[in-house]
Amino acid sequence: MNSKGVVHIVDPGSGCIEDKAELFAALDLEPRVYRSPLEFLRGFTHAKPCCLISAMRQPELPGLELLAQVQKQPIPPPVIIVTAYGDVQTAVQAMKLGAAEFLEIPVHDEVLLGVVQNWIRIDRVRRGKANKCAAVREKLAKLSAREREVLAGVLGGQSNKEMAAKLAISAKSIEVYRGKLMAKMEASSIPELVREVLCCPLSSCGPSDYGYLCTGSGFCANGQGSNATFGAIPEIHFSRIEYASSKEEMNGFRG
């Protein structure tokens, strides 16, 4: 089926989510319904941009435990938790475990459709970034030890002369290694090389991240991890976007 994305629905038969499948299909989204969390975990593949909608109360595996299992995926899909028994404490716990949204039902169709479309769009971007970073890591793996040392010097803003002194080789040798480095990384300029490497995490991000934050070391910094804090949100509807905004507001208030 050629669709704009897949909506995975884990509903034990309550009908609170399953009956929304026709709405998703009308927007050229592909709904896939699972009767249990274990059925979903056994059959899930991240071949297309997608999101997961799961009821909080599930047989075999509670919603929060399913959420924790999903985060172990190489590229975890955005998870939307829905429940008729929401409370702020559970919402906070779900968000810390990596949930994209926490919705209290009944949910208006327009709200649910908007949330689903938004997170499938985000997942499409994340998958593109992940594929690009995988290609960069493949190139990095082909570098020799000396070429990696030269790359570290380039990322550190060192001149050929400075790198030569540090590595105890001639500046001409640095030029040779630098040329090989550029060729293997398929970079046409130093700015392109630096941008490509620094914007690709050299170590794995936290599974709940929905974006990359580049640091000077080239590693991905997690700005939304389990130690983050929440601002006050009146409704039982938490989203990761609101969560990040609330954290910034809290930090500004504390400063």
Side-chain angles (χ1 to χ4, degrees):
M1 179 178 180
N2 186 17
S3 64
K4 295 179 180 178
V6 179
V7 184
H8 298 280
I9 301 171
V10 180
D11 190 338
S14 64
C16 64
I17 319 172
E18 183 183 0
D19 59 4
K20 306 295 183 181
E22 292 184 2
L23 291 174
F24 302 135
L27 291 177
D28 201 20
L29 297 171
E30 179 184 350
R32 297 182 186 176
V33 180
Y34 308 84
R35 289 306 181 195
S36 74
L38 295 182
E39 181 186 350
F40 166 76
L41 292 172
R42 285 192 295 263
F44 174 70
T45 58
H46 206 163
K48 294 181 179 180
C50 68
C51 71
L52 165 63
I53 305 177
S54 174
M56 176 64 75
R57 294 190 175 183
Q58 296 280 1
E60 302 174 342
L61 202 67
L64 292 182
E65 290 187 27
L66 171 61
L67 178 58
Q69 290 296 318
V70 168
Q71 299 311 308
K72 297 178 182 179
Q73 294 287 328
I75 307 177
V79 180
I80 300 166
I81 297 291
V82 298
T83 181
Y85 310 96
D87 60 79
V88 173
Q89 182 178 359
T90 304
V92 169
Q93 187 178 1
M95 299 299 289
K96 287 186 175 182
L97 285 173
E101 302 271 349
F102 187 95
L103 302 173
E104 188 173 31
I105 54 177
V107 183
H108 291 297
D109 291 349
E110 295 81 2
V111 172
L112 184 60
L113 289 174
V115 166
V116 166
Q117 288 178 303
N118 179 58
W119 284 107
I120 287 181
R121 184 165 51 247
I122 291 174
D123 188 57
R124 181 177 292 108
V125 172
R126 292 177 62 237
R127 283 164 48 84
K129 288 182 178 180
N131 291 336
K132 182 177 180 180
C133 286
V136 172
R137 284 192 289 270
E138 287 183 7
K139 297 175 188 177
L140 289 171
K142 296 177 181 178
L143 299 181
S144 68
R146 183 65 81 187
E147 289 162 354
R148 285 176 175 271
E149 290 175 331
V150 172
L151 173 59
V154 171
L155 297 179
Q158 297 176 357
S159 66
N160 286 0
K161 185 176 180 180
E162 290 171 328
M163 283 187 276
K166 183 176 180 179
L167 300 178
I169 59 178
S170 68
K172 187 172 183 179
S173 295
I174 292 293
E175 291 180 4
V176 172
Y177 286 118
R178 191 162 170 165
K180 292 180 178 179
L181 165 65
M182 297 291 287
K184 289 183 179 180
M185 294 300 296
E186 301 177 5
S188 59
S189 66
I190 293 298
E192 179 184 344
L193 172 67
V194 172
R195 182 170 57 250
E196 188 174 60
V197 174
L198 292 189
C199 287
C200 176
L202 303 182
S203 64
S204 177
C205 293
S208 63
D209 285 319
Y210 287 92
Y212 293 99
L213 173 62
C214 299
T215 67
S217 64
F219 289 86
C220 185
N222 182 354
Q224 302 174 338
S226 59
N227 293 325
T229 56
F230 287 84
I233 300 177
E235 307 84 10
I236 305 299
H237 174 187
F238 280 67
S239 77
R240 185 150 295 279
I241 294 175
E242 291 171 342
Y243 172 41
S245 174
S246 297
K247 181 188 175 185
E248 291 170 1
E249 291 171 2
M250 290 290 286
N251 287 341
F253 178 78
R254 290 170 182 163

